[in-house]
Amino acid sequence: FEFGVELDEITSEREEATKSSTVKLNKQQIAALSEEVIYKIDVPANRYDLLCIEGICRSLRVFLGEMDAPTYEILKATDEKSSTMTVIQSSTATIRPFVVCAILRDVTFDTARYKSFIELQDQLHRNLCRQRTLVAIGTHDLDSVKGPFVYDARAPKDIKFVPLTHTDEEREFNGASLMEHYETDASCKHLKPYVPIIKDSPLYPVVLDSEETILSLPPIINGSKSRITLNTKSVFIECTATDLTKANIVLDTVVAMFSEYAATPFSVEPVTVSYVNDANKVVKSYVTPQMYTRKETASVKFVNSLIG
């Protein structure tokens, strides 16, 4: 409680299902659920770094004086092609104009780390990203695709790929048929709320590699080919957005939380994002992630005036 988090409830999957008034499971299904203890805690609304176990543990250790706050290092890009993202400005401006990117090299995943990596993205999508309307996160196995990368917007029927949801059957969809499928298929109901974000647009945003492999159809789904697995070593992160400031916050948060698993802990490789016009001329560019740090000084009197 001194740190600013409060224990809300101690429960388990089985207990949650037993008490739920909306989830109806039979005795056999309930018995199959885990009794592992789950601690539910309340965290401040602006502490996005506390949305995963890595952030909570690290912050508590810094607070207790068991470790220094990490210093994040932006390394020199090891591969120019992989660290280049070109944005087709005239098309993306009509639907989702911004993208920011980063690369985590030599990452080591295990089952727990992988689960936390996915859950952090889900948590960010629910709050800061406003259900993916402001920002959508795409994470990819960099070794399965080839840079340089392109962020474009294309007619739905011109977008053809195997989505992550249909990896096992290798079923290909175009953009239009995929939206219809996600709206009606019960097995994909978790994606249905995001379909209206782009469905009626004449162009859908899409992230591609140099061979036209589709990495993602934001803010809906990633492609199957670039999916992250426990064997993934290099992670390409792209965040497409309607709000550039929030996109940078989201990207920095993901990098800050999971760069500790890189061969050089708390390091990240940058990506240069360049916007080109219809003449293929660069009209603006920037390098991400930002990973800004600052020191703040405040008097005891000022702090007390805020907390009462």
Side-chain angles (χ1 to χ4, degrees):
F1 183 76
E2 291 178 356
F3 175 68
V5 297
E6 186 173 356
L7 182 62
D8 181 54
E9 185 182 5
I10 301 175
T11 184
S12 69
E13 286 184 355
R14 185 179 298 182
E15 186 177 346
E16 289 277 283
T18 303
K19 294 189 302 183
S20 175
S21 60
T22 56
V23 178
K24 301 299 182 183
L25 302 178
N26 59 41
K27 290 183 178 180
Q28 186 177 359
Q29 290 173 319
I30 291 175
L33 295 175
S34 173
E35 289 187 289
E36 182 179 6
V37 174
I38 297 172
Y39 293 91
K40 290 189 175 183
I41 62 173
D42 289 329
V43 300
N46 63 344
R47 288 297 301 272
Y48 308 114
D49 58 314
L50 301 182
L51 294 176
C52 64
I53 192 66
E54 287 79 6
I56 292 172
C57 291
R58 189 188 309 158
S59 296
L60 283 171
R61 292 183 65 198
V62 171
F63 179 73
L64 295 171
E66 296 180 3
M67 68 173 286
D68 293 329
T71 299
Y72 298 96
E73 182 181 7
I74 298 180
L75 305 173
K76 183 178 180 180
T78 57
D79 177 25
E80 184 178 350
K81 290 183 178 179
S82 295
S83 60
T84 300
M85 171 67 82
T86 299
V87 181
I88 310 303
Q89 188 175 43
S90 59
S91 59
T92 56
T94 65
I95 179 68
R96 204 171 184 89
F98 306 112
V99 65
V100 294
C101 311
I103 295 171
L104 299 179
R105 292 278 187 188
D106 297 319
V107 175
T108 300
F109 280 118
D110 58 24
T111 302
R113 292 175 181 180
Y114 175 82
K115 182 180 178 182
S116 182
F117 185 62
I118 300 301
E119 287 180 347
L120 174 63
Q121 295 173 59
D122 289 341
Q123 291 280 5
L124 288 169
H125 278 150
R126 278 194 288 270
N127 52 68
L128 179 59
C129 301
R130 295 292 186 270
Q131 299 294 344
R132 307 190 190 184
T133 57
L134 299 182
V135 186
I137 310 163
T139 54
H140 312 276
D141 187 328
L142 183 59
D143 296 326
S144 69
V145 290
K146 294 183 179 180
F149 300 100
V150 174
Y151 177 45
D152 197 2
R154 298 181 178 181
K157 292 188 177 180
D158 293 337
I159 299 171
K160 297 178 181 180
F161 72 116
V162 177
L164 189 60
T165 48
H166 292 72
T167 297
D168 292 341
E169 57 190 286
E170 297 185 353
R171 181 179 174 185
E172 185 177 86
F173 293 81
N174 66 40
S177 64
L178 186 61
M179 294 302 100
E180 293 175 6
H181 180 72
Y182 284 162
E183 275 194 320
T184 57
D185 192 284
S187 66
C188 301
K189 62 182 180 180
H190 60 294
L191 295 171
K192 183 178 178 179
Y194 310 119
V195 170
I197 299 174
I198 63 169
K199 183 186 177 184
D200 294 331
S201 172
L203 301 177
Y204 288 179
V206 63
V207 178
L208 311 100
D209 75 354
S210 61
E211 296 182 341
E212 291 283 296
T213 298
I214 292 180
L215 278 68
S216 69
L217 176 68
I220 311 298
I221 192 71
N222 290 344
S224 173
K225 185 177 180 180
S226 62
R227 66 189 181 278
I228 300 283
T229 70
L230 294 181
N231 297 319
T232 295
K233 300 304 294 182
S234 296
V235 179
F236 181 76
I237 308 168
E238 43 88 3
C239 299
T240 59
T242 57
D243 185 315
L244 183 57
T245 298
K246 285 185 170 56
N248 278 308
I249 294 171
V250 169
L251 179 64
D252 285 359
T253 300
V254 175
V255 169
M257 295 303 98
F258 287 91
S259 58
E260 73 170 276
Y261 298 136
T264 303
F266 306 114
S267 68
V268 60
E269 287 190 16
V271 174
T272 300
V273 180
S274 299
Y275 292 73
V276 298
N277 59 19
D278 291 337
N280 204 36
K281 181 180 179 181
V282 176
V283 292
K284 72 172 181 178
S285 66
Y286 48 74
V287 177
T288 59
Q290 297 177 332
M291 305 305 289
Y292 292 147
T293 60
R294 70 178 189 271
K295 289 185 178 181
E296 295 283 354
T297 301
S299 67
V300 173
K301 181 180 179 180
F302 175 71
V303 172
N304 285 335
S305 72
L306 295 177
I307 64 177

